[in-house]
Amino acid sequence: MYLRKVEEVKTLELSLRWLRTVLQTVSLSPETVATRCRRSQTSFTEVQLKILVQAFSQNPYPGYTAKQRLAVEINTEESRIQIWFQNRRARHGFLERPKKNLDSSKDHASPKEKIQDGRGRRCRTSYSSSQLQTLKNAFTENPYPGIDSREQLAEEIGVPESRVQIWFQNRRSRLCIQRKRGLEEASDQRQNQGQDL
């Protein structure tokens, strides 16, 4: 009973923090709210679009290194390239990534060559304990931070804003999964108690 009350208090505290954040946001002008919550839309020039469309026609699923090269070539962030490709695939009806050929005799490229060829993956981001603590504290205050908050956090902990955004997405997903598991376990316990009687 006591533990349940403690959990309720913690939940209420989280809700109160979130509500304070919302109220602070609402008290701002609509123009400020729009700029605080969303990143401004990226506008590409005709030359940039021509380069992106050409790259898309060659490979609609470029790897991290290919996206980095494109970002340097058209002078923008890699994360903006990634979003452009996602949107382009969605517009053109790409449902899933094509299956890789399991016949290894046709593919003689070494791992280094594959990364240079643009099929490499982004390295996993490792966070120090102080960085994680900062991210967790920010998540407790607001699980849905706007672009300004994410950029401030990114600067504070020394990682790109896109990595902060992904961390928050993953954390929200993990929290949702944990809540579902908790509900399933509680339901199973109730069912087992009912059967014991």
Side-chain angles (χ1 to χ4, degrees), residues 78-90:
E78 181 272 335
S79 61
R80 302 296 89 210
I81 302 291
Q82 180 178 350
I83 297 298
W84 186 87
F85 272 86
Q86 286 175 350
N87 292 340
R88 184 80 176 190
R89 287 191 300 265

Side-chain angles (χ1 to χ4, degrees), residues 10-49:
K10 286 182 181 178
T11 305
L12 287 173
E13 286 175 350
L14 282 174
S15 299
L16 189 58
R17 283 185 195 149
W18 178 81
L19 187 58
R20 280 189 199 129
T21 306
V22 169
L23 289 175
Q24 289 171 351
T25 305
V26 170
S27 66
L28 300 172
S29 67
E31 297 82 26
T32 309
V33 172
T35 58
R36 287 180 163 270
C37 294
R38 293 189 63 157
R39 180 192 317 266
S40 60
Q41 182 176 354
T42 305
S43 298
F44 295 106
T45 65
E46 285 185 39
V47 174
Q48 290 172 322
L49 281 173

Side-chain angles (χ1 to χ4, degrees), residues 53-93:
V53 168
Q54 182 181 8
F56 184 85
S57 65
Q58 291 173 358
N59 182 8
Y61 293 93
Y64 177 62
T65 53
K67 287 184 281 190
Q68 276 187 318
R69 267 190 258 124
L70 278 169
V72 169
E73 187 176 347
I74 67 171
N75 193 26
T76 190
E77 298 174 23
E78 181 272 335
S79 61
R80 302 296 89 210
I81 302 291
Q82 180 178 350
I83 297 298
W84 186 87
F85 272 86
Q86 286 175 350
N87 292 340
R88 184 80 176 190
R89 287 191 300 265
R91 262 185 257 124
H92 289 271

Side-chain angles (χ1 to χ4, degrees), residues 14-193:
L14 282 174
S15 299
L16 189 58
R17 283 185 195 149
W18 178 81
L19 187 58
R20 280 189 199 129
T21 306
V22 169
L23 289 175
Q24 289 171 351
T25 305
V26 170
S27 66
L28 300 172
S29 67
E31 297 82 26
T32 309
V33 172
T35 58
R36 287 180 163 270
C37 294
R38 293 189 63 157
R39 180 192 317 266
S40 60
Q41 182 176 354
T42 305
S43 298
F44 295 106
T45 65
E46 285 185 39
V47 174
Q48 290 172 322
L49 281 173
K50 185 177 178 182
I51 292 168
L52 288 168
V53 168
Q54 182 181 8
F56 184 85
S57 65
Q58 291 173 358
N59 182 8
Y61 293 93
Y64 177 62
T65 53
K67 287 184 281 190
Q68 276 187 318
R69 267 190 258 124
L70 278 169
V72 169
E73 187 176 347
I74 67 171
N75 193 26
T76 190
E77 298 174 23
E78 181 272 335
S79 61
R80 302 296 89 210
I81 302 291
Q82 180 178 350
I83 297 298
W84 186 87
F85 272 86
Q86 286 175 350
N87 292 340
R88 184 80 176 190
R89 287 191 300 265
R91 262 185 257 124
H92 289 271
F94 283 78
L95 297 177
E96 61 183 54
R97 190 178 200 124
K99 304 281 189 265
K100 290 189 176 182
N101 189 353
L102 298 177
D103 185 9
S104 60
S105 62
K106 293 181 181 178
D107 189 11
H108 297 290
S110 69
K112 285 183 182 177
E113 291 171 335
K114 283 186 177 183
I115 290 173
Q116 291 172 350
D117 189 32
R119 296 184 205 135
R121 290 186 62 156
R122 180 192 318 270
C123 294
R124 183 182 179 95
T125 305
S126 299
Y127 297 101
S128 69
S129 57
S130 63
Q131 288 173 321
L132 274 176
Q133 192 58 47
T134 303
L135 287 167
K136 288 176 183 178
N137 290 343
F139 184 84
T140 302
E141 287 186 31
N142 182 8
Y144 294 92
I147 181 68
D148 291 345
S149 301
R150 291 194 310 265
E151 285 177 344
Q152 183 180 1
L153 267 171
E155 189 175 322
E156 187 178 326
I157 64 174
V159 297
E161 180 273 332
S162 60
R163 301 298 87 208
V164 172
Q165 184 176 14
I166 297 297
W167 187 89
F168 272 85
Q169 287 174 350
N170 292 340
R171 189 71 172 194
R172 289 190 299 264
S173 176
R174 185 189 311 167
L175 188 65
C176 183
I177 291 168
Q178 288 173 345
R179 284 181 182 161
K180 285 181 183 176
R181 282 187 189 151
L183 291 174
E184 288 173 1
E185 289 173 2
S187 175
D188 289 345
Q189 286 176 353
R190 276 187 252 128
Q191 286 179 352
N192 289 341
Q193 288 173 351

